[in-house]
Amino acid sequence: MKMSNAKKISAVFFLILAAAWLYVLIKSRPPQDTSVAEELFRIAAPNPELRSRLLKEAVRPRKGSATPRILIVEFSDLQCPSCKSTQSLLDQLLADNPDVALVFKQYPLNVHPWARKAAAYAECVAANNASLFWALVDEVYAHQDDINVPNAESQLRSFIKSRGGDDELIAKCAGTQEVEHQLAASIQLGREIGVTGTPSIFVDGRRIYNFSAANYALLNKAIQHEIHQ
């Protein structure tokens, strides 16, 4: 059956109308970086209550500004490969933003067999020497592939000793119930605020998702916007 001229005209008019509507829809979309930022980070609305809790309970180990405009809290696992890559990005954020401070909270996962031992050693180091703590974190991340359950303790002691720390004192501390309670409290805090894996990053109480080198610039921009708003 042949289409009448009237129907042909109607069909053409419909196609033109649809094309015009699609053009308007595309032009009215938000800028690319905004939509990508929302998709990648899904930054939640400000949460003053959570921010206040983290300021009170996420105290150390800490580095960056002594009087920060922005507090970043990282829940991390020293055996976690993604935490290793994230740490260097967080360090870069501190370098790019002098008004930012970073707090490292231990969140060793059960699937990582030597992570809890490393967390215990790190907690003891942090209590005695903050700068040595961050050096230990760097050493552990740099040698993740070389550490295993049988050699974890000797490796950790070696790292501490090579940086001038008292490995005997730290080893003794790491086996105490006090440190076990500290780790349990850190894990419990994470669970109560929604941490289910590592790394989990909170910027002034806002949960940041999918933080990676690919979207570093967007998070850096968001932090700078919040600092200056």
Side-chain angles (χ1 to χ4, degrees):
M1 181 183 294
K2 291 185 178 181
M3 184 181 295
S4 67
N5 288 336
K7 287 185 177 181
K8 288 180 181 180
I9 293 172
S10 178
V12 170
F13 177 79
F14 175 82
L15 290 174
I16 292 172
L17 185 62
W21 176 82
L22 182 60
Y23 175 80
V24 171
L25 180 65
I26 292 173
K27 293 294 286 183
S28 65
R29 290 178 61 186
Q32 180 75 9
D33 62 339
T34 302
S35 61
V36 170
E38 291 174 352
E39 177 62 26
L40 290 177
F41 299 127
R42 293 188 286 144
I43 300 178
N47 188 331
E49 182 178 345
L50 178 54
R51 182 181 186 277
S52 178
R53 182 175 183 183
L54 289 175
L55 282 171
K56 181 180 178 180
E57 298 184 39
V59 179
R60 66 170 181 85
R62 171 173 168 164
K63 65 178 176 178
S65 174
T67 55
R69 297 283 303 278
I70 299 290
L71 177 69
I72 300 176
V73 179
E74 166 195 13
F75 286 81
S76 195
D77 174 319
L78 291 170
Q79 195 178 344
C80 161
S82 296
C83 297
K84 173 182 176 178
S85 58
T86 296
Q87 193 64 48
S88 61
L89 296 175
L90 291 173
D91 288 341
Q92 185 61 48
L93 271 177
L94 293 185
D96 290 344
N97 300 281
D99 291 327
V100 172
L102 169 67
V103 172
F104 187 111
K105 295 298 293 179
Q106 301 288 351
Y107 201 87
L109 301 173
N110 292 332
V111 295
H112 292 150
W114 55 262
R116 200 175 188 99
K117 182 178 288 294
Y121 269 73
E123 280 289 294
C124 290
V125 169
N128 289 274
N129 187 326
S131 61
L132 181 57
F133 167 82
W134 295 105
L136 177 62
V137 168
D138 290 341
E139 288 281 7
V140 172
Y141 282 147
H143 297 89
Q144 265 187 351
D145 294 339
D146 302 323
I147 304 173
N148 51 50
V149 173
N151 74 13
E153 184 166 0
S154 62
Q155 289 272 45
L156 290 164
R157 292 183 65 156
S158 176
F159 297 152
I160 292 166
K161 193 171 183 178
S162 69
R163 295 287 186 139
D166 187 338
D167 63 310
E168 290 285 350
L169 176 66
I170 299 303
K172 184 177 180 179
C173 168
T176 63
Q177 281 298 310
E178 180 181 358
V179 170
E180 187 59 32
H181 291 327
Q182 289 172 0
L183 292 179
S186 183
I187 293 169
Q188 183 61 29
L189 171 62
R191 287 175 177 165
E192 289 178 2
I193 64 175
V195 173
T196 56
T198 58
S200 287
I201 311 296
F202 295 83
V203 176
D204 264 5
R206 297 183 180 193
R207 177 71 177 272
I208 305 299
Y209 294 84
N210 301 319
F211 181 34
S212 69
N215 47 50
Y216 173 86
L218 292 172
L219 179 57
N220 191 38
K221 183 177 179 181
I223 287 175
Q224 291 178 357
H225 172 74
E226 190 153 319
I227 287 174
H228 296 106
Q229 70 179 355

